[in-house]
Amino acid sequence: MKKVKIKLGSNSYEAHIDSGILSQTGRKLKKAGFVDKVVIITNPVVKGLYGEALEQSLTPEGFTVTTLQVPDGEEQKSLETAGRLYHELANCHAERTTPILALGGGVIGDLAGFVAATYLRGVPLIQIPTTLLAQVDSSIGGKVAVDHGQLKNKIGAFYQPRLVITDIDTLKTLDNKTLSDGLAEVIKYGVIWDKGFLTYLEKNIDRIKSLNEEALEEIIFRSAEIKAEVVAKDEKDLNLRAILNYGHTVGHAIESASDFRVGHGEAVAIGMIAAARISNKMGILSENELLRLESLIKQAGLPTKLPELKVEELISAMQHDKKVLMGKIRFILPEVLGKVFITDEVNLSLIEQVLLD
Ligand code: NAD
Ligand code: GLY
């Protein structure tokens, strides 16, 4: 088993990463001092796959388990669904000490995390991420949120989990699209923080795509480690943490302008290349490094070119994004592979030029 420590003073916690670790959840919770009652929040897809295994690890350790389900889908990240969950928690007499176990992808993690942060002013949260994106990104760092109208992820809190239990085996049931959503974020960590990690990805991309356990464990571990390092330096997203949004300025615009027909991973992949091209055209990122990144993204099965979308719509979407500060579009640009900088000074004409290329 690999462990990543997220160092946040009295809110510190660990992510435990291994194959088959779901079956150790009961033991781990007992060791962490939990007793008696736990509530699992999940969806029917994940419950069908992993609900029973999780319950079977909890009951022999003396836990009484209540499982609450929400339908699958991003639209469940809502105040309405949170409200329904508050009622259900009250009905099953969940108390201040009752941990909520978020079993699922980023949607469940964000929603259950939001509910844990607010129910009775905060109950313990355990993240059990089951998608690659959730394992390398959303389960770590304590951002919990629901969407509200146009406000995506804007009603939320910083609420750290007590423990993250990452079972690599759960990735075996993911479809390719959901896997590649996570892979785009994994590549992101290499570009923003660690060129050596990018080299590892280049050498092992086929093993990763074929779900080789050792390779998966390595990339989840290193990604979680990088996220933990960034979050430890800037938990509340005041400066450095913004680099985790590399590729997301253009990425979010593509998702929104395409009415979410282009998936998150694909959009972020195109966004990472757009940002790298902007940096290259500004005379910063070398041509060699740009080509190297393009090649890795292609090998990962992700796109590098824009789908048929109007550039004006993309620019407008960028101008309405949460990364806009005082009317300026904020970009995270690679200086070299492994190091990025944050800037609000990219000319609109350069953005247009890169998007039209
Ligand atoms: P998701 O949670 O919707 O999961 C994708 C699909 O995979 C769903 O249909 C789900 O039911 C299914 N699924 C989950 N685990 C599975 C498994 N092991 N096998 C088969 N199917 C499985 O999507 P996601 O990509 O995991 O997360 C996206 C969400 O994460 C978005 O809401 C985004 O805003 C949020 N997010 C949050 C943070 C953060 O820091 N909090 C960071 C990145 C993304
Ligand atoms: N996923 C971006 C962050 O956690 O800050």
Side-chain angles (χ1 to χ4, degrees), residues 43 45-46 49-50 72 74 77 105-107 110 130-131 133 137-138 143 152-153 170 173-174 178 227:
N43 72 27
V45 176
V46 183
L49 293 164
Y50 303 109
D72 196 6
E74 174 76 25
K77 263 178 61 174
V107 166
D110 280 11
T130 62
T131 63
L133 179 137
D137 191 353
S138 58
K143 278 191 183 175
K152 181 163 156 54
N153 281 333
T170 60
T173 51
L174 282 186
T178 313
K227 180 146 189 192

Side-chain angles (χ1 to χ4, degrees), residues 154-166:
K154 282 190 183 157
I155 310 298
F158 291 97
Y159 192 71
Q160 303 296 339
R162 295 285 184 86
L163 180 64
V164 182
I165 298 174
T166 297

Side-chain angles (χ1 to χ4, degrees), residues 137 140 143 188 227 231 237 241 244-245:
D137 191 353
I140 293 164
K143 278 191 183 175
K188 172 192 83 178
K227 180 146 189 192
V231 168
D237 204 1
R241 191 165 173 165
L244 297 173
N245 284 325

